[in-house]
Protein backbone atom coordinates (compact mmCIF):
# COMPACT_ATOMS: atom_id res chain seq x y z
CA UNK A 1 0.00 0.00 0.00
CA UNK A 2 2.75 2.39 -1.02
CA UNK A 3 2.09 6.08 -1.65
CA UNK A 4 3.46 7.84 -4.69
CA UNK A 5 6.24 10.00 -3.34
CA UNK A 6 5.42 13.71 -3.25
CA UNK A 7 8.78 14.59 -4.69
CA UNK A 8 7.59 13.33 -8.07
CA UNK A 9 4.22 15.00 -8.03
CA UNK A 10 4.86 18.50 -9.26
CA UNK A 11 2.25 20.93 -10.54
CA UNK A 12 1.61 20.35 -14.24
CA UNK A 13 1.81 24.05 -15.04
CA UNK A 14 3.17 26.93 -13.02
CA UNK A 15 -0.16 28.76 -13.23
CA UNK A 16 -1.84 25.83 -11.60
CA UNK A 17 0.35 25.46 -8.55
CA UNK A 18 -2.49 24.07 -6.47
CA UNK A 19 -3.04 21.03 -8.69
CA UNK A 20 -1.33 18.00 -7.22
CA UNK A 21 -1.88 14.32 -7.54
CA UNK A 22 -2.24 12.50 -4.26
CA UNK A 23 -3.12 8.91 -4.75
CA UNK A 24 -2.42 5.53 -3.28
CA UNK A 25 -0.53 3.16 -5.51
CA UNK A 26 -3.45 0.75 -5.36
CA UNK A 27 -5.72 3.46 -6.68
CA UNK A 28 -3.24 4.29 -9.41
CA UNK A 29 -3.56 0.71 -10.61
CA UNK A 30 -7.29 1.21 -11.07
CA UNK A 31 -6.89 4.07 -13.54
CA UNK A 32 -7.53 3.05 -17.11
CA UNK A 33 -4.39 3.11 -19.29
CA UNK A 34 -6.11 5.59 -21.64
CA UNK A 35 -6.54 8.02 -18.72
CA UNK A 36 -2.94 7.48 -17.66
CA UNK A 37 -1.97 8.26 -21.25
CA UNK A 38 -3.89 11.55 -21.00
CA UNK A 39 -1.93 12.44 -17.86
CA UNK A 40 1.35 11.52 -19.55
CA UNK A 41 0.49 13.70 -22.55
CA UNK A 42 0.38 16.70 -20.24
CA UNK A 43 3.78 16.13 -18.67
CA UNK A 44 7.25 17.06 -19.85
CA UNK A 45 9.79 14.34 -20.41
CA UNK A 46 11.29 14.42 -16.92
CA UNK A 47 7.98 14.22 -15.10
CA UNK A 48 6.80 11.56 -17.47
CA UNK A 49 9.74 9.27 -16.70
CA UNK A 50 9.31 9.85 -12.98
CA UNK A 51 5.60 9.06 -13.22
CA UNK A 52 6.18 5.94 -15.28
CA UNK A 53 8.41 4.56 -12.53
CA UNK A 54 5.31 4.26 -10.37
CA UNK A 55 3.38 2.20 -12.88
CA UNK A 56 3.66 -1.53 -13.13
CA UNK A 57 5.02 -2.83 -16.41
CA UNK A 58 1.61 -3.89 -17.76
CA UNK A 59 0.24 -0.40 -17.09
CA UNK A 60 3.27 1.27 -18.64
CA UNK A 61 2.91 -0.74 -21.82
CA UNK A 62 -0.86 -0.26 -22.06
CA UNK A 63 -0.53 3.47 -21.40
CA UNK A 64 2.27 3.85 -23.95
CA UNK A 65 0.10 2.11 -26.51
CA UNK A 66 -2.64 4.70 -25.91
CA UNK A 67 -0.41 7.76 -26.32
CA UNK A 68 -0.48 9.99 -29.37
CA UNK A 69 2.06 8.84 -31.95
CA UNK A 70 3.98 12.12 -31.53
CA UNK A 71 4.41 11.53 -27.80
CA UNK A 72 5.34 7.88 -28.32
CA UNK A 73 8.03 8.91 -30.75
CA UNK A 74 9.36 11.58 -28.37
CA UNK A 75 9.62 8.94 -25.64
CA UNK A 76 11.33 6.35 -27.83
CA UNK A 77 13.75 8.89 -29.26
CA UNK A 78 15.22 9.43 -25.81
CA UNK A 79 14.90 5.92 -24.45
CA UNK A 80 17.84 3.57 -23.96
CA UNK A 81 17.93 0.91 -26.67
CA UNK A 82 17.54 -1.97 -24.22
CA UNK A 83 14.47 -0.48 -22.56
CA UNK A 84 13.03 0.40 -25.96
CA UNK A 85 13.42 -3.21 -27.06
CA UNK A 86 11.71 -4.53 -23.94
CA UNK A 87 8.71 -2.27 -24.47
CA UNK A 88 8.52 -2.74 -28.24
CA UNK A 89 8.38 -6.50 -27.71
CA UNK A 90 5.12 -6.02 -25.81
CA UNK A 91 3.40 -3.54 -28.12
CA UNK A 92 1.21 -4.71 -30.99
CA UNK A 93 3.20 -4.85 -34.27
CA UNK A 94 1.11 -2.10 -35.90
CA UNK A 95 1.97 0.30 -33.07
CA UNK A 96 5.61 -0.71 -33.33
CA UNK A 97 5.64 -0.04 -37.07
CA UNK A 98 4.02 3.38 -36.56
CA UNK A 99 6.60 4.36 -33.96
CA UNK A 100 9.64 2.99 -35.77
CA UNK A 101 8.49 4.64 -38.99
CA UNK A 102 8.85 8.03 -37.30
CA UNK A 103 12.28 7.42 -35.78
CA UNK A 104 15.54 8.35 -37.52
CA UNK A 105 16.39 5.58 -40.00
CA UNK A 106 19.59 4.45 -38.21
CA UNK A 107 17.75 4.19 -34.91
CA UNK A 108 14.90 2.28 -36.57
CA UNK A 109 17.27 -0.16 -38.29
CA UNK A 110 19.23 -0.58 -35.07
CA UNK A 111 16.08 -1.60 -33.20
CA UNK A 112 14.76 -3.80 -36.00
CA UNK A 113 18.07 -5.69 -36.15
CA UNK A 114 17.85 -6.49 -32.45
CA UNK A 115 14.17 -7.38 -32.37
CA UNK A 116 13.42 -11.08 -32.31
CA UNK A 117 10.88 -12.77 -34.62
CA UNK A 118 8.74 -9.61 -34.34
CA UNK A 119 10.99 -7.70 -36.75
CA UNK A 120 9.79 -9.46 -39.88
CA UNK A 121 6.13 -8.61 -39.32
CA UNK A 122 7.01 -5.03 -38.43
CA UNK A 123 9.15 -4.63 -41.57
CA UNK A 124 6.19 -5.77 -43.61
CA UNK A 125 3.86 -3.24 -41.98
CA UNK A 126 6.39 -0.43 -42.50
CA UNK A 127 5.97 -0.58 -46.26
CA UNK A 128 2.29 0.44 -46.25
CA UNK A 129 1.15 4.07 -46.45
CA UNK A 130 -0.30 5.72 -43.34
CA UNK A 131 -4.09 5.64 -43.20
CA UNK A 132 -4.41 2.32 -45.01
CA UNK A 133 -5.41 -1.14 -43.79
CA UNK A 134 -1.82 -2.30 -44.30
CA UNK A 135 -0.46 0.31 -41.91
CA UNK A 136 -2.89 -0.37 -39.09
CA UNK A 137 -3.40 -4.11 -39.36
CA UNK A 138 -2.05 -6.48 -36.78
CA UNK A 139 -0.36 -9.74 -37.59
CA UNK A 140 -1.31 -11.20 -34.21
CA UNK A 141 -4.46 -13.13 -34.86
CA UNK A 142 -5.51 -16.69 -34.16
CA UNK A 143 -5.00 -19.13 -37.02
CA UNK A 144 -7.35 -22.07 -37.17
CA UNK A 145 -7.68 -24.94 -39.62
CA UNK A 146 -10.95 -26.17 -41.05
CA UNK A 147 -10.41 -29.77 -39.95
CA UNK A 148 -10.22 -28.77 -36.28
CA UNK A 149 -13.06 -29.70 -33.97
CA UNK A 150 -14.69 -27.08 -31.78
CA UNK A 151 -12.85 -28.34 -28.73
CA UNK A 152 -9.50 -28.30 -30.54
CA UNK A 153 -10.24 -24.75 -31.68
CA UNK A 154 -11.09 -23.66 -28.14
CA UNK A 155 -7.80 -25.18 -26.96
CA UNK A 156 -5.99 -23.22 -29.64
CA UNK A 157 -7.71 -20.00 -28.57
CA UNK A 158 -6.76 -20.64 -24.94
CA UNK A 159 -3.13 -20.97 -25.97
CA UNK A 160 -2.94 -17.86 -28.14
CA UNK A 161 -5.55 -15.53 -26.63
CA UNK A 162 -3.09 -13.54 -24.54
CA UNK A 163 -1.04 -12.49 -27.56
CA UNK A 164 -3.83 -12.11 -30.14
CA UNK A 165 -5.29 -8.68 -30.83
CA UNK A 166 -8.83 -10.04 -30.85
CA UNK A 167 -10.45 -13.43 -30.36
CA UNK A 168 -14.02 -12.51 -31.27
CA UNK A 169 -13.61 -13.68 -34.83
CA UNK A 170 -11.82 -16.86 -35.75
CA UNK A 171 -10.40 -17.09 -39.20
CA UNK A 172 -10.00 -20.45 -40.83
CA UNK A 173 -7.04 -20.77 -43.15
CA UNK A 174 -5.55 -23.51 -45.24
CA UNK A 175 -1.94 -24.60 -44.74
CA UNK A 176 -0.72 -21.98 -47.23
CA UNK A 177 -2.40 -19.15 -45.30
CA UNK A 178 -5.34 -18.61 -47.65
CA UNK A 179 -8.50 -17.48 -45.95
CA UNK A 180 -11.25 -20.10 -46.18
CA UNK A 181 -13.87 -19.01 -43.68
CA UNK A 182 -14.80 -17.20 -40.51
CA UNK A 183 -16.84 -17.80 -37.40
CA UNK A 184 -17.47 -15.76 -34.29
CA UNK A 185 -16.50 -16.78 -30.78
CA UNK A 186 -20.21 -16.88 -29.98
CA UNK A 187 -20.85 -19.32 -32.81
CA UNK A 188 -17.94 -21.47 -31.69
CA UNK A 189 -18.88 -21.79 -28.03
CA UNK A 190 -22.50 -22.69 -28.70
CA UNK A 191 -21.55 -25.39 -31.23
CA UNK A 192 -21.20 -29.11 -30.45
CA UNK A 193 -17.70 -29.90 -29.19
CA UNK A 194 -17.13 -32.56 -31.85
CA UNK A 195 -18.28 -30.47 -34.81
CA UNK A 196 -15.66 -29.57 -37.36
CA UNK A 197 -14.98 -25.94 -38.26
CA UNK A 198 -15.49 -26.63 -41.98
CA UNK A 199 -19.13 -27.37 -41.19
CA UNK A 200 -19.66 -24.29 -39.05
CA UNK A 201 -17.74 -21.49 -40.72
CA UNK A 202 -19.07 -18.90 -43.11
CA UNK A 203 -17.33 -19.22 -46.43
CA UNK A 204 -18.26 -15.82 -47.83
CA UNK A 205 -15.76 -13.67 -45.97
CA UNK A 206 -15.77 -9.90 -46.26
CA UNK A 207 -12.13 -8.79 -46.44
CA UNK A 208 -10.10 -5.73 -47.42
CA UNK A 209 -6.80 -5.32 -49.23
CA UNK A 210 -3.84 -3.65 -47.51
CA UNK A 211 -4.34 -0.54 -49.65
CA UNK A 212 -7.92 0.05 -48.46
CA UNK A 213 -8.25 3.42 -46.71
CA UNK A 214 -9.44 4.01 -43.16
CA UNK A 215 -12.72 5.80 -44.00
CA UNK A 216 -13.70 3.02 -46.39
CA UNK A 217 -12.88 0.33 -43.83
CA UNK A 218 -14.96 2.22 -41.27
CA UNK A 219 -17.82 2.21 -43.81
CA UNK A 220 -17.57 -1.56 -44.29
CA UNK A 221 -17.44 -2.19 -40.54
CA UNK A 222 -20.45 0.04 -39.98
CA UNK A 223 -22.42 -1.63 -42.78
CA UNK A 224 -21.89 -5.19 -41.53
CA UNK A 225 -21.47 -4.39 -37.86
CA UNK A 226 -18.14 -6.24 -37.70
CA UNK A 227 -15.62 -5.61 -34.93
CA UNK A 228 -12.70 -6.62 -37.14
CA UNK A 229 -11.93 -7.35 -40.78
CA UNK A 230 -9.32 -9.62 -42.31
CA UNK A 231 -6.76 -8.07 -44.66
CA UNK A 232 -5.90 -10.25 -47.65
CA UNK A 233 -3.71 -9.91 -50.74
CA UNK A 234 -5.02 -10.20 -54.31
CA UNK A 235 -4.96 -14.00 -54.12
CA UNK A 236 -6.85 -14.21 -50.84
CA UNK A 237 -3.85 -14.93 -48.62
CA UNK A 238 -4.40 -13.53 -45.15
CA UNK A 239 -1.96 -10.74 -44.25
CA UNK A 240 -3.46 -9.33 -41.09
CA UNK A 241 -6.45 -8.07 -39.23
CA UNK A 242 -7.84 -4.58 -38.63
CA UNK A 243 -9.89 -4.00 -35.51
CA UNK A 244 -12.60 -1.42 -35.01
CA UNK A 245 -10.72 0.35 -32.20
CA UNK A 246 -7.73 1.05 -34.45
CA UNK A 247 -9.98 2.34 -37.21
CA UNK A 248 -11.88 4.51 -34.76
CA UNK A 249 -8.70 6.08 -33.37
CA UNK A 250 -7.48 6.82 -36.86
CA UNK A 251 -10.79 8.46 -37.74
CA UNK A 252 -10.64 10.54 -34.57
CA UNK A 253 -7.06 11.60 -35.42
CA UNK A 254 -8.18 12.60 -38.90
CA UNK A 255 -11.13 14.52 -37.50
CA UNK A 256 -8.87 16.39 -35.09
CA UNK A 257 -6.50 17.25 -37.91
CA UNK A 258 -9.29 18.74 -40.01
CA UNK A 259 -11.16 20.36 -37.13
CA UNK A 260 -8.29 22.24 -35.58
CA UNK A 261 -6.83 24.29 -38.47
CA UNK A 262 -9.86 26.47 -39.36
CA UNK A 263 -10.03 27.80 -35.79
CA UNK A 264 -6.34 28.69 -35.85
CA UNK A 265 -6.64 30.24 -39.29
CA UNK A 266 -9.48 32.49 -38.19
CA UNK A 267 -7.68 33.79 -35.13
CA UNK A 268 -4.49 34.29 -37.15
CA UNK A 269 -6.38 36.43 -39.65
CA UNK A 270 -7.99 38.51 -36.93
CA UNK A 271 -4.54 38.99 -35.42
CA UNK A 272 -3.08 40.28 -38.65
CA UNK A 273 -5.95 42.71 -39.34
CA UNK A 274 -5.37 44.63 -36.13
P1 LIG B 1 -21.74 -11.07 -31.01
O1 LIG B 1 -22.54 -10.10 -31.82
O2 LIG B 1 -22.28 -11.34 -29.67
O3 LIG B 1 -20.27 -10.73 -30.94
P2 LIG B 1 -22.12 -12.72 -33.29
O4 LIG B 1 -21.85 -14.15 -33.58
O5 LIG B 1 -23.46 -12.20 -33.64
O6 LIG B 1 -21.77 -12.48 -31.78
P3 LIG B 1 -21.10 -10.58 -34.95
O7 LIG B 1 -19.91 -9.74 -34.68
O8 LIG B 1 -22.44 -9.94 -34.80
O9 LIG B 1 -20.98 -11.87 -34.01
O10 LIG B 1 -20.92 -11.21 -36.39
C1 LIG B 1 -22.02 -11.64 -37.12
C2 LIG B 1 -21.63 -12.74 -38.07
O11 LIG B 1 -20.69 -12.29 -39.02
C3 LIG B 1 -21.02 -13.96 -37.40
O12 LIG B 1 -21.67 -15.08 -37.94
C4 LIG B 1 -19.59 -13.96 -37.87
O13 LIG B 1 -19.08 -15.24 -38.03
C5 LIG B 1 -19.70 -13.27 -39.20
N1 LIG B 1 -18.47 -12.59 -39.63
C6 LIG B 1 -17.52 -12.00 -38.87
N2 LIG B 1 -16.57 -11.44 -39.62
C7 LIG B 1 -16.92 -11.68 -40.91
C8 LIG B 1 -16.35 -11.35 -42.16
N3 LIG B 1 -15.21 -10.68 -42.26
N4 LIG B 1 -16.98 -11.74 -43.29
C9 LIG B 1 -18.15 -12.43 -43.21
N5 LIG B 1 -18.74 -12.77 -42.05
C10 LIG B 1 -18.15 -12.41 -40.92
MG1 LIG C 1 -24.03 -10.12 -33.36
Amino acid sequence: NKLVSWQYIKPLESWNAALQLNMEKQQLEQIHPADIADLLEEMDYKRRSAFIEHLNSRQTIDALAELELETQVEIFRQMEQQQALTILAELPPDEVADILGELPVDKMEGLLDLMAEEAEGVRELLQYAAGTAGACMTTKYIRLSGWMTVSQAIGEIRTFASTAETIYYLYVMNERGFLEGVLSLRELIVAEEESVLYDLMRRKVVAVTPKETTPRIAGIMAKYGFLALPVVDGQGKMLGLVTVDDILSMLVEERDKFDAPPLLAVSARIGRER
Side-chain angles (χ1 to χ4, degrees):
N1 210 2
K2 207 170 139 233
L3 288 170
V4 174
S5 163
W6 279 104
Q7 105 194 56
Y8 294 119
I9 312 299
K10 301 259 170 62
L12 299 177
E13 298 255 329
S14 53
W15 54 263
N16 201 351
L19 178 65
Q20 297 195 325
L21 187 65
N22 178 10
M23 186 181 289
E24 288 185 13
K25 196 151 190 177
Q26 244 178 349
Q27 261 176 304
L28 187 61
E29 278 165 13
Q30 296 299 318
I31 304 183
H32 194 282
D35 289 322
I36 292 183
D38 281 351
L39 287 173
L40 290 173
E41 295 283 355
E42 301 295 324
M43 298 178 190
D44 62 23
Y45 186 76
K46 242 175 88 188
R47 285 182 191 148
R48 216 179 264 147
S49 341
F51 187 79
I52 285 176
E53 279 178 34
H54 292 281
L55 306 175
N56 62 43
S57 62
R58 186 72 259 154
Q59 254 183 328
T60 307
I61 286 151
D62 290 346
L64 279 176
E66 300 282 349
L67 287 172
E68 308 263 327
L69 180 58
E70 228 172 278
T71 319
Q72 290 174 327
V73 171
E74 203 183 303
I75 291 175
F76 278 95
R77 258 179 206 283
Q78 310 191 42
M79 200 181 272
E80 302 261 335
Q81 196 175 52
Q82 202 43 53
Q83 195 187 3
L85 284 170
T86 313
I87 295 178
L88 289 174
E90 297 288 329
L91 290 176
D94 51 323
E95 294 276 338
V96 176
D98 284 350
I99 296 168
L100 292 189
E102 298 289 323
L103 290 178
V105 177
D106 55 330
K107 195 154 186 164
M108 171 182 93
E109 285 298 339
L111 287 167
L112 275 173
D113 283 345
L114 293 170
M115 282 168 69
E117 335 87 72
E118 313 267 284
E120 199 189 329
V122 173
R123 275 184 206 277
E124 249 167 63
L125 296 178
L126 273 166
Q127 55 182 12
Y128 297 109
T132 63
C136 71
M137 70 190 182
T138 172
T139 44
K140 293 190 172 170
Y141 50 86
I142 292 172
R143 297 155 168 81
L144 297 179
S145 304
W147 48 259
M148 285 181 179
T149 63
V150 168
S151 52
Q152 282 173 321
I154 291 175
E156 202 70 4
I157 296 167
R158 283 218 178 95
T159 309
F160 294 107
S162 63
T163 52
E165 179 105 1
T166 183
I167 61 164
Y168 298 127
Y169 298 134
L170 306 155
Y171 301 101
V172 175
M173 274 169 276
N174 70 12
E175 64 288 350
R176 288 183 303 144
F178 288 81
L179 189 58
E180 295 179 314
V182 61
L183 71 167
S184 72
L185 188 61
R186 184 201 286 269
E187 289 165 326
L188 187 76
I189 59 177
V190 301
E192 295 286 336
E193 287 200 359
E194 296 313 313
S195 321
V196 171
L197 300 192
Y198 274 136
D199 299 330
L200 299 169
M201 68 188 196
R202 281 165 197 259
R203 287 163 200 272
K204 266 202 171 9
V205 184
V206 181
V208 294
T209 66
K211 292 208 169 123
E212 199 65 272
T213 60
T214 317
R216 283 176 49 109
I217 300 169
I220 297 170
M221 285 180 168
K223 174 180 171 186
Y224 294 100
F226 293 152
L227 302 171
L229 281 170
V231 182
V232 298
D233 70 9
Q235 276 71 53
K237 191 169 178 189
M238 185 140 173
L239 302 173
L241 170 86
V242 283
T243 53
V244 67
D245 51 343
D246 285 341
I247 296 298
L248 190 58
S249 354
M250 285 175 80
L251 285 183
V252 169
E253 254 170 57
E254 285 300 305
R255 181 206 60 185
D256 290 349
K257 247 186 255 164
F258 290 119
D259 271 1
L263 290 173
L264 293 175
V266 169
S267 57
R269 220 179 300 123
I270 294 170
R272 242 181 277 125
E273 273 166 12
R274 279 215 207 105

